[in-house]
Amino acid sequence: MLRVFRNLIIAGILFYLAIVAGLKVYVETYAQAPVDPPVSVIVVLSAGPVNSERDNRTAVRTAVGAELYSDLVAAGHDPVLVLAGGKEPSERRAKALGMAEVARDAGVPDASILIDDQSRSTLQNAMFSRQLVEGEFDGRTVVITDRFHLPRSWASFRWAGATDILLLAADGEDEEVDWDNLFREALKWPFNAVRALAVSVLVALGWPADDLVSLTN
């Protein structure tokens, strides 16, 4: 029994290190695909509250989303910009509210901004974004975050029903990614997968998806 337990621990550690290594390869070899219109939805994912200088990761991601929005509008398109980020107990307000200020100051009109101020996980980002766009991801959805977070974001939005997803790295192709981000992200993958599977099974058994949001936090 002790040997089985030890082998399970070793397997778990090796699996975790494999995820870290896979993420490292992904961010080091990442090549940004062009954002070809038409784009229906632009979703910007938060990474903490927007700071007063507006130079942290959430502010940068939001600025990238606002710039993409402006470029698409200038080309004759009409996407919506979803800003996703709820409020942690220690925070004064939802992250999405600060993101909206950045977007407005960059010229995005209120009519084109949808605010998800409830989500506290990537799965919830996807679920609430789907609700905000009236239940369906019709057309192309661009998801903006940093490279280390892109694979899990893609998996979460695909699970939530988006079929035409384009990933956009706010940190570009060459910015160095901290090992801390990779280690934390690798820990989140198994929990993300288990929670998504649990919700999918319960929905298949008849539970309304909206009643299961707490399982995805």
Side-chain angles (χ1 to χ4, degrees), residues 8-26:
L8 286 175
I9 292 177
I10 293 173
I13 293 172
L14 292 175
F15 179 67
Y16 170 72
L17 293 176
I19 297 176
V20 173
L23 288 171
K24 180 64 173 175
V25 171
Y26 178 84

Side-chain angles (χ1 to χ4, degrees), residues 63-74:
V64 170
E67 182 179 7
L68 175 60
Y69 170 87
S70 297
D71 290 345
L72 290 169
V73 169

Side-chain angles (χ1 to χ4, degrees), residues 126-138 160-162 210:
M127 293 179 70
F128 289 131
S129 294
R130 178 176 179 173
Q131 292 176 5
L132 286 171
V133 295
E134 299 181 353
E136 296 295 338
F137 287 114
D138 293 327
D210 291 347

Side-chain angles (χ1 to χ4, degrees), residues 6 34 57 72 74 90 102 108 122-123 151 176 184:
R6 182 187 62 190
R57 295 315 311 167
L72 290 169
S90 60
V102 175
V108 182
T122 305
L123 288 176
E176 185 176 355
R184 285 195 296 267

Side-chain angles (χ1 to χ4, degrees), residues 2-82:
L2 182 60
R3 176 178 294 181
V4 172
F5 184 68
R6 182 187 62 190
N7 289 341
L8 286 175
I9 292 177
I10 293 173
I13 293 172
L14 292 175
F15 179 67
Y16 170 72
L17 293 176
I19 297 176
V20 173
L23 288 171
K24 180 64 173 175
V25 171
Y26 178 84
V27 301
E28 293 291 344
T29 60
Y30 180 82
Q32 181 61 56
V35 180
D36 295 326
V39 172
S40 299
V41 182
I42 304 166
V43 184
V44 183
L45 307 184
S46 65
V50 173
N51 62 353
S52 57
E53 294 80 13
R54 294 187 176 181
D55 59 0
N56 66 344
R57 295 315 311 167
T58 299
V60 170
R61 294 178 187 181
T62 306
V64 170
E67 182 179 7
L68 175 60
Y69 170 87
S70 297
D71 290 345
L72 290 169
V73 169
H77 302 281
D78 187 28
V80 295
L81 180 65
V82 178

